[in-house]
Amino acid sequence: MSNDTNVDDPPEDAPTGPDEDQPERQGERSPLEDDGDRGTDVDDPTDEFEPASDEDDEIETVEDLGSTVEVDPGVEVDEEIAEDDLLGGLKIDSTEDIEVPDRLVDQVIGQDEARDIIIKAAKQRRHVMMIGSPGTGKSMLAKAMSQLLPKEDLQDVLVYHNPDDGNEPKVRTVPAGKGEQIIDAHKEEARKRNQMRSILMWIIIAVVIGYAILSAASPLLGILAAGIIWLIFRYTSRGTDAMVPNMIVNNGDQRVAPFEDATGAHAGALLGDVRHDPFQSGGMETPSHDRVEPGAIHKSNKGVLFVDEINTLDIRTQQKLMTAIQEGEFAITGQSERSSGAMVQTEPVPCDFIMVAAGNLDAMENMHPALRNRIKGYGYEVYMDDTIEDTPEMRRKYARFVAQEVERDGRLPHFTDDAVEELILEAKRRSGRKNHLTLHFRSLGGLVRVAGDIARAEDRDYTTREDVLQAKQRSRSIEQQLADDYIERRKDYELQVTENGVEGRVNGLAVMGEDSGIMLPVMAEIAPAQGGGQVIATGKLQEMAEESVQNVSAIIKKFSDVDLSEKDIHIQFVQAGQQGVDGDSASITVATAVISALENIPVDQSIAMTGSLSVRGDVLPVGGVTHKIEAAAKAGCDKVIIPKANEQDVMIEEEYEEMVEIIPCSNISEVLDVALMGEPKKDSLVDRLKSITGTAFDQSTVGSASGSNPSPQ
């Protein structure tokens, strides 16, 4: 790169370098180019956007960012009812009354720790890696960071032809906005030069043709000579056009620090590339500097480079990205070895960016250790929350979220207060935890858009609660639609039994995806062993499910009077599907089925159940209880047994509340007492089981477990 500028220092302060270090050009240097080098009083389009003072834009704490919900004058917040009000005491008729902040960082809801880190990283220009579930605000925080960066002198980057080595173009940086002026000056200079050459060419052609006619020579010979002269001038004029530089980074219209989303970018798009030239000789070739293409790392110079799913980048690209982070500059070369661009390599191009990497938990597995170390050593790592505590202030922010989505879309009618209340109820339900709200705003925003589309299709001025309820049905996930279809088909073929009692058969419950439940029957049968007795489970069980079966066998061996060494216990997960069964939430289902088969006691088929089981018989919490209960209600069950620790996590829809009775249990003996039929044999079995099983967790321990957020099983 030319010595007249430096990547780390503003171009205005850089002294003009020696002539031999500058790209050689035909003719004299244009005044505009001299101004660009010296950083004199050429107008910079970005000057008028300088802030009045640094203190005005300085953000001290996370509490300064979107901590309050602004409403139109006259709209009140009733603090007396805020605790119990779904809108947090917000007195509004619709989302029209809610003011939406201008800055992205003020629109971020929840993720206080991540937002605080973004603020600190923006002030100190630190790298950040954000890990968490999709749709929790990673990309929004990255965009917000570009608005928080301190005001810096942005730069245009120009690439010049190198007369000494055409395959090593020279690179030069100038203040933002001056690149276009320099290129216009070069084009004007080239135009004038070509115009003079054209005039000279036609004069010579006219003289040659005139001489051929006047000297009685062959006119054809004169025309041939004129054609040769035209070709010579045309061929040599290409050298003049090659002197016009190529501006690969143009920040003339940039008002804030640049933001580049390089998610899924291939090596050329991320690191820069040089286009292939099919005409590499004979005067038809394109100058190498005109074929240089910038990468996202160069476009994000002085700004933010965001790469989601960082683990999808191949190792070589991650290594080069690590070099760019360390050096602050990176030369551009052709990325394909079969391309003529592979022979071209520019001088180092500035890429002083802030790296914001993101991904799910598995992103860290395939991420280059050195790249992660570089980010961690010079920045922060943060895990994105999935839920946040339900408070009046947070409910008011969720109402503002609906207003933000309406304004961002620009075509949706505003939501009435009862429609917003229904959306907040859905946020509580999707959290899977009592007194919490989900932070998966992408899926929640999808529900907002579907509801708004329904209201817009009917040409209404506002989106109502009925539209939201209808949108919840229309916006069901693929897994939920499949689960509902399975339930209906099993009813047609009488695969679901919800009446009377059956020995060794229990209606278990499972989840599909993240937001859908399904009833999964489990059957058990006891058969004489041909060799040593064993437990045989079928249904394509995954590792965790197999371990849960082994835990259940410990309880069975402890209480049963039957010599299991002479018996084989067969356990079948009926119609588990190709994906099989994973997790341990069917533990109490398996235990109940096996005990029923051993003791010849029928199980009430109007009952469904879910819960994990310890080797001592304690029923442990599982995930997805809300979706499982709703699946049981759809299937026609009257009662659902769940772990007592999950009682606070139940947030089923109103339509299902009258359909099923929810029975929390803390021990396997309680489960059997509810699920088994036949009073004399059942009572004897339950009393015997109570006498030999202990409770591993006292009530305080169970209470602490219930405050956790178990993964859906």
Side-chain angles (χ1 to χ4, degrees):
M1 191 169 65
S2 303
N3 293 330
D4 59 329
T5 57
N6 186 280
V7 176
D8 299 322
D9 298 326
E12 292 84 352
D13 298 333
T16 304
D19 292 339
E20 58 269 23
D21 290 338
Q22 300 294 330
E24 295 183 15
R25 311 178 184 93
Q26 296 183 9
E28 297 180 356
R29 293 161 58 86
S30 66
L32 286 173
E33 190 171 353
D34 291 333
D35 288 336
D37 283 342
R38 294 193 301 267
T40 53
D41 297 329
V42 176
D43 292 337
D44 187 344
T46 61
D47 290 343
E48 58 183 297
F49 295 95
E50 292 282 356
S53 64
D54 293 338
E55 289 76 14
D56 293 340
D57 288 341
E58 185 169 320
I59 302 169
E60 295 295 338
T61 63
V62 70
E63 284 75 15
D64 297 329
L65 300 174
S67 57
T68 59
V69 179
E70 300 295 337
V71 294
D72 288 344
V75 178
E76 301 178 352
V77 175
D78 191 342
E79 296 292 349
E80 294 183 359
I81 65 170
E83 194 66 36
D84 299 323
D85 185 33
L86 279 173
L87 295 178
L90 203 59
K91 295 297 184 181
I92 59 171
D93 294 326
S94 72
T95 50
E96 278 183 311
D97 301 330
I98 301 177
E99 182 179 340
V100 177
D102 294 328
R103 297 189 309 173
L104 279 177
V105 71
D106 295 327
Q107 297 180 17
V108 176
I109 298 174
Q111 309 296 357
D112 289 344
E113 181 181 0
R115 190 170 52 169
D116 193 21
I117 286 176
I118 286 293
I119 297 167
K120 294 176 182 176
K123 288 182 180 180
Q124 304 298 329
R125 294 190 63 84
R126 307 295 190 199
H127 305 299
V128 179
M129 183 167 72
M130 295 183 286
I131 299 296
S133 304
T136 51
K138 297 186 289 291
S139 59
M140 188 175 184
L141 282 168
K143 289 179 182 178
M145 189 177 188
S146 64
Q147 298 180 354
L148 292 174
L149 286 175
K151 181 72 175 180
E152 289 203 38
D153 295 321
L154 300 180
Q155 299 172 328
D156 293 339
V157 180
L158 303 172
V159 181
Y160 288 87
H161 172 67
N162 186 350
D164 297 329
D165 185 354
N167 286 331
E168 191 178 349
K170 292 183 176 292
V171 174
R172 178 164 164 258
T173 59
V174 296
K178 294 180 182 176
E180 289 183 345
Q181 300 172 14
I182 292 174
I183 286 181
D184 290 342
H186 273 281
K187 287 181 178 178
E188 180 64 21
E189 188 177 343
R191 188 189 65 80
K192 291 179 180 179
R193 192 178 296 114
N194 287 335
Q195 187 178 30
M196 294 298 297
R197 291 172 62 88
S198 296
I199 294 173
L200 178 61
M201 178 189 69
W202 289 114
I203 291 175
I204 295 175
I205 289 176
V207 169
V208 169
I209 294 177
Y211 177 78
I213 294 174
L214 295 176
S215 63
S218 173
L220 184 60
L221 185 61
I223 295 174
L224 181 61
I228 294 174
I229 293 171
W230 183 84
L231 287 174
I232 292 174
F233 272 86
R234 182 66 181 269
Y235 180 83
T236 56
S237 66
R238 295 181 60 85
T240 303
D241 296 336
M243 294 303 103
V244 178
N246 175 22
M247 183 162 59
I248 60 174
V249 178
N250 183 2
N251 284 318
D253 298 327
Q254 193 74 31
R255 298 296 175 257
V256 296
F259 172 84
E260 288 294 325
D261 188 347
T263 301
H266 57 80
L270 180 63
L271 305 172
D273 204 351
V274 181
R275 298 193 306 273
H276 174 67
D277 183 11
F279 306 103
Q280 302 177 34
S281 60
M284 301 181 66
E285 71 276 2
T286 303
S288 59
H289 76 282
D290 271 341
R291 294 185 282 122
V292 175
E293 297 289 343
I297 62 173
H298 307 111
K299 295 178 183 178
S300 59
N301 183 39
K302 305 296 183 183
V304 175
L305 176 68
F306 176 66
V307 183
D308 201 358
E309 305 299 337
I310 184 72
N311 57 312
T312 59
L313 297 177
D314 63 71
I315 295 299
R316 291 182 60 186
T317 302
Q318 292 188 45
Q319 290 174 333
K320 294 177 181 178
L321 182 60
M322 180 176 57
T323 302
I325 292 175
Q326 181 175 355
E327 301 297 333
E329 56 183 15
F330 194 82
I332 300 176
T333 186
Q335 298 297 329
S336 173
E337 296 180 355
R338 299 183 179 181
S339 168
S340 61
M343 301 297 295
V344 179
Q345 181 168 339
T346 69
E347 292 179 340
V349 180
C351 56
D352 182 20
F353 57 83
I354 294 177
M355 173 79 169
V356 179
N360 302 327
L361 283 173
D362 60 350
M364 296 182 291
E365 297 178 4
N366 297 326
M367 187 175 179
H368 196 294
L371 176 59
R372 183 184 175 189
N373 183 266
R374 192 65 47 84
I375 296 174
K376 187 176 181 180
Y378 294 93
Y380 301 89
E381 290 185 343
V382 58
Y383 180 75
M384 307 292 287
D385 297 325
D386 289 323
T387 63
I388 192 168
E389 187 177 355
D390 180 13
T391 64
E393 179 61 31
M394 285 309 304
R395 292 195 290 274
R396 291 195 289 268
K397 288 185 179 181
Y398 271 67
R400 191 189 71 198
F401 164 75
V402 179
Q404 291 172 187
E405 292 298 303
V406 171
E407 183 173 297
R408 185 178 292 117
D409 187 276
R411 295 166 295 181
L412 302 178
H414 278 279
F415 282 60
T416 61
D417 55 348
D418 58 345
V420 176
E421 289 177 351
E422 185 61 36
L423 286 167
I424 294 175
L425 277 174
E426 182 65 14
K428 293 162 70 75
R429 179 174 174 269
R430 293 188 180 189
S431 70
R433 301 174 61 186
K434 190 175 183 180
N435 297 326
H436 279 76
L437 296 163
T438 183
L439 290 177
H440 290 243
F441 287 109
R442 184 176 298 151
S443 59
L444 200 62
L447 181 61
V448 171
R449 285 180 283 276
V450 173
D453 289 343
I454 293 173
R456 187 169 179 242
E458 298 182 7
D459 200 25
R460 289 202 299 271
D461 294 332
Y462 293 96
T463 305
T464 63
R465 179 176 180 271
E466 288 69 27
D467 297 325
V468 176
L469 294 175
Q470 189 175 350
K472 288 166 66 174
Q473 179 67 20
R474 289 190 183 181
S475 62
R476 292 177 302 160
S477 66
I478 295 295
E479 291 85 357
Q480 184 61 60
Q481 295 177 48
L482 284 173
D484 292 344
D485 185 58
Y486 286 163
I487 291 173
E488 291 301 319
R489 290 191 180 190
R490 287 176 178 178
K491 285 181 179 179
D492 293 341
Y493 292 98
E494 298 182 354
L495 294 175
Q496 291 185 165
V497 181
T498 57
E499 295 179 354
N500 303 321
V502 179
E503 295 179 4
R505 187 189 188 281
V506 181
N507 290 321
L509 297 170
V511 291
M512 295 178 62
E514 296 181 354
D515 61 350
S516 57
I518 190 170
M519 197 161 77
L520 186 66
V522 175
M523 295 185 180
E525 187 64 44
I526 310 300
Q530 300 298 322
Q534 57 182 333
V535 177
I536 303 170
T538 59
K540 203 173 181 180
L541 274 64
Q542 305 297 326
E543 183 177 355
M544 187 178 294
E546 289 181 353
E547 291 177 353
S548 69
V549 171
Q550 298 301 321
N551 292 340
V552 169
S553 65
I555 299 174
I556 297 170
K557 292 175 183 177
K558 185 173 182 180
F559 93 91
S560 178
D561 294 332
V562 180
D563 185 1
L564 296 180
S565 63
E566 300 177 357
K567 303 288 185 181
D568 284 341
I569 301 176
H570 294 265
I571 302 170
Q572 179 188 11
F573 290 81
V574 181
Q575 290 189 327
Q578 293 183 350
Q579 295 182 347
V581 179
D582 196 9
D584 62 346
S585 64
S587 297
I588 65 170
T589 308
V590 172
T592 303
V594 173
I595 293 172
S596 170
L598 277 172
E599 300 293 330
N600 298 317
I601 302 176
V603 178
D604 188 351
Q605 297 302 297
S606 67
I607 295 176
M609 63 181 68
T610 182
S612 181
L613 197 62
S614 74
V615 293
R616 298 187 60 183
D618 295 283
V619 179
L620 307 179
V622 295
V625 289
T626 295
H627 306 300
K628 293 175 181 178
I629 293 171
E630 292 178 352
K634 292 177 184 178
C637 292
D638 298 328
K639 300 176 182 178
V640 179
I641 297 174
I642 65 169
K644 190 172 182 61
N646 283 126
E647 188 175 7
Q648 61 178 356
D649 300 328
V650 176
M651 286 169 284
I652 62 175
E653 299 277 7
E654 292 182 3
E655 59 183 298
Y656 302 117
E657 290 180 355
E658 301 297 328
M659 296 174 63
V660 293
E661 178 186 356
I662 301 171
I663 304 174
C665 296
S666 58
N667 194 278
I668 185 62
S669 58
E670 297 178 7
V671 173
L672 296 176
D673 192 21
V674 175
L676 297 181
M677 303 176 69
E679 295 303 325
K681 295 182 66 175
K682 181 189 79 169
D683 293 342
S684 174
L685 172 65
V686 171
D687 291 341
R688 177 156 45 97
L689 194 58
K690 286 181 178 179
S691 66
I692 60 177
T693 56
T695 302
F697 302 102
D698 56 21
Q699 189 62 33
S700 61
T701 307
V702 171
S704 63
S706 64
S708 63
N709 187 21
S711 301
Q713 305 294 336

